[in-house]
């Protein structure tokens, strides 16, 4: 996936905000909040907590002790101890009494693996952890998440949480648009002036989009939504008006906007859409509750194929039961071959589909979702299939 030059905020800055995580399950009041630990995850963890996991579920290279490092994620630690990383509730459930909150595992904590009677449990060395931090009298700089590790590498999806958008209709065709530029410039950079026409409805902050294109289901060809190229942001400065001359002629004066952060240089024709309220919640990886089967619609950006840590659009959304945090298995269609082992006979064959990667769903719409490629063996292309893991 190609990335345009970013003349505005860097993804690393966004990631710091996106990493605002908490799923404090110990207190009933907090458990009723909107934090993303589902009853299914809690139930799995509680069941495993009673007896641990079978030794067959452990990774062959699972260490006896591991010290959590800054930069680790729950996904990393799950892969370290278990054969299947998305089964994170089982890792957490190995010692539910000590690790009460899967998002409150901190750098410096030592995790110990205890094996016995064909089962394994995980405990924090030195007793139950505390959510408090001992401070010494010196200046400290801490992230807003208190230093707890994240579920997945959030810096990879942070920039897309509000930029990767699927519109249900072709509403951008009717959206406010840039109609002229400062001093007639072809392209606009950060801080420059743009002139806009259209209904603003009192909104002051907008995202800029370009070239909406239909996203079609690979099998049915149904239009599932419209994906527009993200350009950047623009902020309202001065209202437009209509001037009526003495002879009754009307002259339109467009509204004035200041260009903000950009991924691409802005230009005449770019469409404006209100900036939504930021959703900084990160959902822990988990498997779909029911079987699901779908296809990759497109790759985000201009690439012809995608690899690990790139973004794809898939043809399942909230109407199909897709949730943020779902982990999906990627499949490569089996190639066609000819059996020539019988003399004089050629038998066409299609080899079995091969599983070759994992997706993590981080943004959902009604009929489409965006997913991060967590791991993959071969390049991913539109039309590739996915299922539950």
């Amino acid at each position: 996936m190609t990335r345009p030059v970013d003349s505005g905020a860097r993804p690393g800055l966004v990631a710091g905000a996106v990493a605002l995580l908490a799923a404090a399950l110990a207190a009933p009041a907090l458990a009723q909040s909107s934090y993303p630990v589902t009853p299914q995850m809690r139930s799995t963890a509680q069941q495993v907590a009673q007896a641990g996991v079978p030794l067959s579920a452990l990774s062959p290279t699972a260490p006896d002790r591991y010290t959590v490092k800054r930069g680790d994620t729950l996904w990393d630690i799950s892969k370290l101890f278990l054969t299947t990383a998305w089964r994170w509730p089982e890792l957490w459930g190995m010692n539910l009494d000590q690790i009460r909150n899967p998002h409150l595992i901190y750098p410096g904590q030592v995790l110990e693996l205890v094996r016995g009677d064909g089962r394994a449990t995980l405990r924090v060395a030195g007793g139950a952890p505390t959510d408090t931090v001992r401070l010494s009298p010196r200046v400290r700089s801490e992230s807003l998440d208190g230093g707890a590790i994240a579920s997945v590498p959030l810096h990879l999806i942070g920039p897309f949480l509000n930029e990767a958008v699927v519109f249900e209709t072709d509403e951008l065709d009717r959206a406010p648009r840039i109609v002229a530029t400062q001093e007639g410039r072809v392209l606009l950079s950060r801080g420059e002036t743009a002139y806009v026409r259209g209904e603003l409805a009192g909104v002051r902050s907008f995202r800029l989009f370009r070239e909406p294109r239909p996203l079609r289901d690979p099998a049915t060809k149904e239009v599932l939504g419209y994906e527009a190229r993200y350009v950047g942001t623009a902020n309202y400065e001065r209202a437009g008006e209509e001037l009526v001359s003495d002879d009754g002629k009307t002259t339109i004066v467009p509204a004035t906007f200041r260009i903000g952060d950009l991924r691409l240089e802005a230009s005449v024709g770019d469409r404006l859409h209100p900036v939504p309220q930021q959703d900084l919640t990160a959902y822990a990886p988990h498997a779909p509750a029911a079987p699901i089967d779908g296809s990759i619609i497109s790759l985000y950006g201009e690439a012809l194929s995608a690899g690990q840590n790139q973004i794809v659009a898939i043809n399942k959304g909230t109407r199909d039961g897709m949730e943020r945090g779902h982990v999906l298995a990627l499949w490569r269609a089996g190639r066609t071959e000819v059996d020539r082992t019988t003399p004089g006979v050629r038998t066409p064959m299609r080899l079995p589909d091969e599983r070759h990667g994992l997706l993590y769903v981080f943004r959902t719409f009604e009929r489409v979702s965006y997913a991060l490629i967590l791991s993959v063996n071969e390049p991913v292309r539109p039309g590739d299939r996915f299922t539950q893991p």
Side-chain angles (χ1 to χ4, degrees):
M1 175 179 68
T2 58
R3 290 284 181 90
V5 174
D6 177 6
S7 59
R10 297 297 185 210
L13 298 179
V14 181
V18 175
L20 285 168
L21 295 177
L25 302 175
L30 291 178
Q32 295 174 3
S33 72
S34 62
Y35 292 123
V37 175
T38 68
Q40 179 189 2
M41 297 176 195
R42 175 184 285 277
S43 175
T44 299
Q46 289 171 339
Q47 291 173 23
V48 177
Q50 296 175 7
V53 297
L55 294 180
S56 59
L58 292 179
S59 167
T61 58
D64 293 329
R65 290 170 61 94
Y66 178 74
T67 302
V68 180
K69 302 187 299 294
R70 189 170 299 278
D72 279 346
T73 65
L74 193 61
W75 182 267
D76 296 328
I77 296 177
S78 295
K79 287 193 299 183
L80 187 67
F81 285 99
L82 297 173
T83 55
T84 309
W86 57 265
R87 294 170 64 179
W88 73 271
E90 298 185 24
L91 172 67
W92 166 39
M94 285 169 152
N95 198 338
L96 190 62
D97 289 337
Q98 285 187 310
I99 307 175
R100 293 188 177 92
N101 184 339
H103 295 307
L104 294 182
I105 300 176
Y106 291 88
Q109 288 181 326
V110 178
L111 306 180
E112 289 187 342
L113 188 64
V114 180
R115 298 176 175 90
D117 298 325
R119 312 290 293 184
T121 57
L122 189 68
R123 70 185 181 191
V124 177
T130 175
D131 292 347
T132 62
V133 179
R134 181 176 297 174
L135 299 178
S136 57
R138 62 185 178 87
V139 176
R140 290 175 179 263
S141 175
E142 293 288 342
S143 62
L144 292 180
D145 63 0
I149 67 172
S151 299
V152 295
L154 293 173
H155 67 280
L156 298 175
I157 61 176
F160 297 96
L161 288 177
N162 284 322
E163 295 176 9
V165 178
V166 173
F167 297 96
E168 301 299 331
T169 66
D170 56 353
E171 61 188 276
L172 280 184
D173 288 344
R174 302 179 297 278
R177 63 203 182 278
I178 296 178
V179 294
T181 63
Q182 179 180 352
E183 300 174 354
R185 296 175 182 175
V186 176
L187 299 174
L188 291 171
S189 299
R190 179 185 173 94
E192 295 185 332
T193 299
Y195 302 104
V196 173
R197 287 190 64 193
E199 179 56 51
L200 303 178
V203 179
R204 295 295 181 263
S205 298
F206 289 84
R207 295 170 295 176
L208 295 170
F209 291 97
R210 182 178 301 163
E211 302 166 0
R213 63 188 182 96
L215 294 175
R216 297 183 182 275
D217 188 286
T220 66
K221 306 306 178 185
E222 174 192 7
V223 175
L224 303 178
Y226 295 84
E227 181 184 74
R229 246 176 128 189
Y230 178 80
V231 175
T233 62
N235 299 300
Y236 172 90
E237 288 204 336
R238 190 167 58 252
E241 58 182 325
E242 291 186 357
L243 303 178
V244 180
S245 63
D246 293 340
D247 58 5
K249 292 183 179 181
T250 300
T251 300
I252 295 174
V253 179
T256 302
F257 275 73
R258 185 75 59 188
I259 300 297
D261 297 336
L262 291 175
R263 296 282 183 222
L264 305 169
E265 289 182 299
S267 64
V268 171
D270 287 347
R271 305 288 168 156
L272 281 71
H273 194 268
V275 173
Q277 182 178 357
Q278 285 191 322
D279 184 355
L280 302 179
T281 305
Y283 281 58
H286 61 286
I292 194 164
D293 195 323
S295 301
I296 305 294
I297 302 175
S298 66
L299 316 178
Y300 195 85
E302 304 296 329
L304 298 178
S305 64
Q308 185 173 342
N309 298 336
Q310 292 185 268
I311 306 299
V312 297
I314 62 176
N315 67 341
K316 299 295 180 182
T318 54
R319 72 172 185 179
D320 309 294
M322 192 63 64
E323 300 174 1
R324 290 175 60 181
H326 270 167
V327 175
L328 306 170
L330 269 171
W331 294 82
R332 167 70 68 208
R335 68 181 186 276
T336 56
E337 290 282 357
V338 176
D339 180 1
R340 298 182 175 86
T341 59
T342 303
V345 178
R346 293 183 144 202
T347 305
M349 302 182 301
R350 182 180 180 275
L351 300 184
D353 292 351
E354 296 289 345
R355 176 170 165 167
H356 73 119
L358 289 173
L359 297 175
Y360 172 80
V361 176
F362 67 89
R363 190 141 196 227
T364 58
F365 302 89
E366 183 181 359
R367 296 179 290 177
V368 175
S369 298
Y370 283 113
L372 172 73
I373 301 174
L374 286 172
S375 62
V376 70
N377 296 330
E378 300 177 28
V380 176
R381 295 180 174 84
D384 286 356
R385 193 166 63 90
F386 65 83
T387 65
Q388 70 278 8

